[in-house]
Amino acid sequence: MTDPLVPPLVTVEEHRERILAAITPLPAFDQPLMEAFGLSAAEDVHAEVALPGFDNSAMDGYAVCHADVAGATAESPVHLPVVGEIGAGQAGLLAMSPGTAVKIMTGAPVPAGADSIVPYEWTDRGVAQVVISQAPELGQHVRPAGEDVAVGDLIVAQGTVLGPRQLGLLAAVGRPSVRSRPRPRVVVLSTGSELREPGTALGHDSIYDGNSFLLAAAVRQAGGIAYRVGIVPDEPRAFTDALGDQLVRADLVVTSGGVSMGDYDVVKAALAPLGTVWFGGVAMQPGKPQGFGLVGEDQTPIITLPGNPVSSYISFEQFVLPAIRRLMGRTPYTRPTADAQLTHALRSPEGRRQFARGTLSVIGGRLAVTPVGPQGSHLIGDLADSDALIVVPESVTSVDAGETVTVLPLDEEF
Ligand code: AMP
Ligand code: MG
């Protein structure tokens, strides 16, 4: 039975698509390598130099011509005069003649005329003359120029997340900086006249503001810079002022609370008159009341989440995390799912996608998931005990133990 006065719920995908469509990736700019750590490359980087850049020695030993030492054995060693010495970073000696040897250190350039390296261990370590008792293969212990990376090779593709190995390689080819998208600045506001800052006194009618910490930490985990503004009372004027103060440093604003049907729903009361913020219901549980729009001079995106902690967190996962990833130029927007065997039966409301909390384990070599606690959206203790969300589709009202369900593992990097 549909009530013509109550607008229908939108799907999780519809709401997410609405948000993603209104958000564009932040402009990229050249950033020093260490600033770019964890960011996504916004250019294809091709090597302008080869690696190694020149033939160099892989061992401490003697550079020789292979033909001179091919017959060397312990019984009939080869004697060669040592005509010089080259350390790493010292290219004093550029060439040598057949019938001679040059002492050479690891990483030092192999002089022209030499083609192989005899490691110290196969010699008497002589200074003026060296006795060689074992022959290298032709080219042995020489690292040839371009062996690793050739000039022009694609070394970092656009979209790659820049971790230690990528930054090390960029530096190795001489790049001091890389074009990348910055971390989005995300302002987190929690609303509620009942809220108090942890560490302060609590009255019999007040509760601690868990959400601004939950959301700010989630922003940071997603790669954003979190500005945890904290508590705004349920007064539209106070909310509008706080928002106005924060917009200047925000690429995205996330609020918690004040979007349901109550008498004091401050976020709705303050933003609905602007006409640029949509408020409505999403067919999910928990997390039905949602809002999204653009506010202020710069049309800054704002995602308004419900206040119950579990609703807030699950809504963050479904809507804010994809928005942050889009701003950063990272894909996929949503977490990879997995299949798991449900260990205990679950019930779920008709017409709503349920995100139940669960813990993952491996039973008999298969991924299994155990529901945690009842499904109240205020149960932050149970939320903290979980490491996955169990997704029960809109059309399903119960799942039996032993059935396969879709899960979202929460702690995996992607
Ligand atoms: P609301 O969405 O504002 O109606 O809040 C729904 C429920 O979540 C209420 O019981 C609030 O007290 C609670 N709540 C709202 N904001 C927070 C917060 N920042 N931390 C913890 N609980 C909250
Ligand atoms: Mg409230």
Side-chain angles (χ1 to χ4, degrees):
M1 206 67 55
T2 51
D3 180 340
L5 294 177
V6 180
L9 302 182
V10 302
T11 65
V12 171
E13 280 73 23
E14 282 169 335
H15 189 50
R16 185 156 58 225
E17 285 308 319
R18 179 205 314 271
I19 294 170
L20 291 175
I23 287 177
T24 43
L26 294 175
F29 56 95
D30 250 337
Q31 307 204 52
L33 292 187
M34 287 312 294
E35 301 294 310
F37 174 67
L39 304 180
S40 103
E43 62 171 327
D44 280 340
V45 182
H46 295 270
E48 284 173 25
V49 298
L51 291 179
F54 47 84
D55 290 354
N56 69 91
S57 178
M59 300 287 279
D60 294 328
Y62 296 85
V64 295
C65 303
H66 184 253
D68 292 335
V69 299
T73 60
E75 293 73 41
S76 64
V78 171
H79 298 237
L80 292 174
V82 178
V83 298
E85 185 178 321
I86 317 173
Q90 304 167 4
L93 200 127
L94 298 174
M96 57 175 259
S97 325
T100 67
V102 165
K103 210 178 200 189
I104 191 164
M105 305 303 138
T106 304
V110 175
D115 57 22
S116 309
I117 306 294
V118 183
Y120 270 157
E121 292 80 349
W122 301 350
T123 72
D124 68 347
R125 298 180 174 237
V127 176
Q129 179 188 263
V130 60
V131 180
I132 295 169
S133 51
Q134 190 175 331
E137 317 244 318
L138 177 62
Q140 202 177 352
H141 304 309
V142 174
R143 302 162 171 165
E147 171 191 35
D148 188 8
V149 174
V151 172
D153 275 1
L154 176 65
I155 55 165
V156 172
Q158 181 157 349
T160 306
V161 176
L162 298 163
R165 296 185 299 280
Q166 290 72 29
L167 293 176
L169 176 56
L170 286 167
V173 300
R175 287 284 300 248
S177 61
V178 59
R179 226 177 127 66
S180 42
R181 300 186 192 284
R183 295 181 183 280
R185 300 159 305 159
V186 183
V187 163
V188 176
L189 284 162
S190 51
T191 67
S193 294
E194 74 280 29
L195 302 177
R196 301 289 179 271
E197 186 74 9
T200 65
L202 205 57
H204 67 278
D205 57 352
S206 49
I207 61 171
Y208 288 120
D209 167 22
N211 288 1
S212 67
F213 291 87
L214 175 97
L215 295 171
V219 165
R220 218 187 260 188
Q221 197 170 48
I225 297 169
Y227 294 124
R228 193 188 67 83
V229 174
I231 304 158
V232 180
D234 289 321
E235 295 152 24
R237 184 64 200 268
F239 179 81
T240 305
D241 287 350
L243 181 62
D245 287 348
Q246 295 299 325
L247 281 179
V248 52
R249 62 170 177 173
D251 296 310
L252 173 67
V253 177
V254 177
T255 65
S256 97
V259 291
S260 342
M261 293 298 184
D263 290 345
Y264 300 99
D265 281 321
V266 63
V267 176
K268 232 171 160 177
L271 297 182
L274 299 179
T276 58
V277 184
W278 171 89
F279 289 101
V282 177
M284 61 192 278
Q285 187 201 50
K288 184 172 121 185
Q290 298 287 341
F292 171 73
L294 303 173
V295 290
E297 237 171 75
D298 297 330
Q299 294 289 281
T300 306
I302 182 167
I303 304 178
T304 66
L305 309 179
N308 272 305
V310 182
S311 311
S312 238
Y313 178 70
I314 289 171
S315 307
F316 180 96
E317 277 289 319
Q318 292 301 310
F319 308 122
V320 184
L321 178 62
I324 292 175
R325 291 178 69 90
R326 180 153 172 78
L327 286 166
M328 294 183 80
R330 288 185 68 163
T331 53
Y333 297 134
T334 52
R335 277 184 196 283
T337 60
D339 285 343
Q341 195 169 16
L342 191 66
T343 62
H344 296 76
L346 261 187
R347 300 190 138 287
S348 178
E350 165 92 54
R352 309 261 294 271
R353 185 177 309 173
Q354 183 175 230
F355 295 96
R357 278 68 70 202
T359 51
L360 296 171
S361 60
V362 175
I363 301 178
R366 274 198 62 189
L367 190 63
V369 66
T370 304
V372 176
Q375 294 306 324
S377 56
H378 57 297
L379 302 171
I380 192 170
D382 286 343
L383 178 66
D385 280 341
S386 343
D387 60 5
L389 298 178
I390 306 166
V391 187
V392 186
E394 291 80 340
S395 58
V396 175
T397 53
S398 67
V399 192
D400 290 333
E403 285 191 51
T404 299
V405 289
T406 300
V407 293
L408 292 165
L410 292 170
D411 295 330
E412 276 165 29
E413 292 241 358
F414 71 107

